[in-house]
């Protein structure tokens, strides 16, 4: 992970968005031991359909060599795949 290949945080919109914002804030603090070059996005997720494939493709094309971490704050029964 570096400035050319930042960590890509992808929040699942709704429950994951606030957690992703907090993670991004912690990672961007240059005085913190958690500092890491990163970017943050929110992605739509639709029940019984999954993640937005166009948004996923955009992220893969924009950050081909960056690690991608999905962030969710929901602990439901797994209705979304």
């Amino acid at each position: 992970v570096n400035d050319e290949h930042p960590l890509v945080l992808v929040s699942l919109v709704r429950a994951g968005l606030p957690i992703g914002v907090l993670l991004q804030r912690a990672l961007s603090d240059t005085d913190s031991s958690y500092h890491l070059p990163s970017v943050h996005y929110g992605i739509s997720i639709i029940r019984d359909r999954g993640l937005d494939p166009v948004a996923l493709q955009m992220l893969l094309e924009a950050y081909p060599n960056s690690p991608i971490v999905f962030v969710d704050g929901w602990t439901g029964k797994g209705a979304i795949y």
Side-chain angles (χ1 to χ4, degrees), residues 1-22:
V1 175
N2 57 42
D3 288 330
E4 289 183 32
H5 306 292
L7 173 68
V8 180
L9 295 171
V10 180
S11 292
L12 303 182
V13 171
R14 291 194 59 150
L17 198 57
I19 295 169
V21 168
L22 291 174

Side-chain angles (χ1 to χ4, degrees), residues 13 25 34 45 47 49 54 58 62-64 71 81:
V13 171
R25 190 175 291 178
Y34 296 112
I45 187 165
R47 184 180 297 273
R49 299 198 60 200
V54 174
M58 186 277 313
Y63 302 98
V71 180
Y81 61 105

Side-chain angles (χ1 to χ4, degrees), residues 27-44:
L27 293 172
S28 66
D29 183 358
T30 56
D31 294 329
S32 169
S33 60
Y34 296 112
H35 176 68
L36 191 66
S38 59
V39 293
H40 179 238
Y41 291 92
I43 191 168
S44 296

Side-chain angles (χ1 to χ4, degrees), residues 55-79:
L56 284 174
Q57 189 61 41
M58 186 277 313
L59 288 172
L60 291 172
E61 289 172 3
Y63 302 98
N65 298 310
S66 292
I68 297 176
V69 175
F70 291 90
V71 180
D72 194 7
W74 180 249
T75 57
K77 55 187 173 178

